């Protein structure tokens, strides 16, 4: 029998992020407490730019955006936000969406699988993802449970289960 496998990846559906951003922008434009404070959220190249006339307002806009991401099933571990910075009369806050598993993080996951996972399971780093193979599908499900329970500082998804 051929080996079964799956890939551990850290990917984000850009369309869902875009939808969350549009919902947050619409809510900001309609809410009474954001009237007249120049609050906005929009794409700025590959980054998300949040503007407001006060640091607290910029953080509030970020909070709204985070709640929209959670409602759309996107892990907040994929969102990398900076601190609000003064820029003239307004504050700007930049956020980026992290995708892919770094080589160091992939090695951590592979070491976890090797040390605590079931016997006969192999993990290989392939670019920005990790391929896990085994003869037993039960062992693969055990590895998925193990990786889910471990709290990494990046979001993980399991794809290409065969």
């Amino acid at each position: 029998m051929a080996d079964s496998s799956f890939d551990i990846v850290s990917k984000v559906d850009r369309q869902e992020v875009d939808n969350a951003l549009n919902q947050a922008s619409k809510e900001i434009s309609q809410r009474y407490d954001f009237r007249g404070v120049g609050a906005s959220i929009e794409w700025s190249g590959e980054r998300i730019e949040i503007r407001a006339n006060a640091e607290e307002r910029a953080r509030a806009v970020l909070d709204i955006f985070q709640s929209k991401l959670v409602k759309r099933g996107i892990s907040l571990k994929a969102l990398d936000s900076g601190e609000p910075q003064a820029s003239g009369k307004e504050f700007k806050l930049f956020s980026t969406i992290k995708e892919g598993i770094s080589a160091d993080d992939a090695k951590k996951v592979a070491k976890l699988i090797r040390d605590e996972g079931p016997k006969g399971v192999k993990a290989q780093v392939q670019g920005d993802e990790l391929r896990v193979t085994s003869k037993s599908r039960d062992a693969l499900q055990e590895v998925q449970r193990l990786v889910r329970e471990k709290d990494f500082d990046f979001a993980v998804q399991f794809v290409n289960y065969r």
Side-chain angles (χ1 to χ4, degrees):
M1 188 174 120
D3 286 358
S4 299
S5 69
F6 68 88
D7 295 334
I8 300 175
V9 297
S10 181
K11 291 198 176 9
V12 175
D13 185 357
R14 296 295 275 203
Q15 185 61 50
E16 290 296 328
V17 174
D18 203 35
N19 291 342
L21 188 129
N22 289 336
Q23 284 182 336
S25 178
K26 187 173 182 179
E27 181 174 330
I28 291 162
S29 69
Q30 292 176 345
R31 275 184 39 176
Y32 179 76
D33 55 338
F34 284 109
R35 293 263 156 82
V37 296
S40 68
I41 181 170
E42 60 192 16
W43 285 105
S44 173
E46 284 296 306
R47 301 187 305 179
I48 297 164
E49 182 179 355
I50 297 173
R51 295 172 179 229
N53 67 356
E55 187 175 343
E56 303 83 39
R57 291 287 176 214
R59 290 185 196 275
V61 171
L62 178 63
D63 190 46
I64 291 170
F65 180 55
Q66 288 174 336
S67 70
K68 300 299 180 189
L69 286 174
V70 168
K71 285 182 183 175
R72 295 202 152 269
I74 296 172
S75 173
L76 292 181
K77 292 178 182 177
L79 183 68
D80 186 21
S81 298
E83 291 294 314
Q85 300 164 342
S87 172
K89 291 184 177 179
E90 64 184 8
F91 283 83
K92 290 183 180 180
L93 188 148
F94 291 102
S95 298
T96 55
I97 303 295
K98 294 187 290 187
E99 288 192 298
I101 300 175
S102 70
D104 292 340
D105 291 336
K107 287 177 185 173
K108 285 181 197 172
V109 176
K111 183 173 175 8
L112 170 77
I113 292 169
R114 199 172 44 253
D115 294 347
E116 299 180 27
K119 297 287 182 232
V121 176
K122 296 182 202 89
Q124 299 172 304
V125 178
Q126 295 182 337
D128 61 350
E129 55 188 47
L130 190 71
R131 165 113 351 128
V132 180
T133 58
S134 173
K135 292 193 182 314
S136 164
R137 286 183 174 241
D138 292 339
L140 291 179
Q141 289 176 341
E142 178 68 21
V143 168
Q144 285 184 354
R145 183 192 62 75
L146 182 69
V147 171
R148 266 195 211 101
E149 286 177 355
K150 198 73 170 174
D151 189 31
F152 293 107
D153 59 346
F154 54 93
V156 295
Q157 294 87 28
F158 306 105
V159 296
N160 296 337
Y161 191 79
R162 42 183 136 222

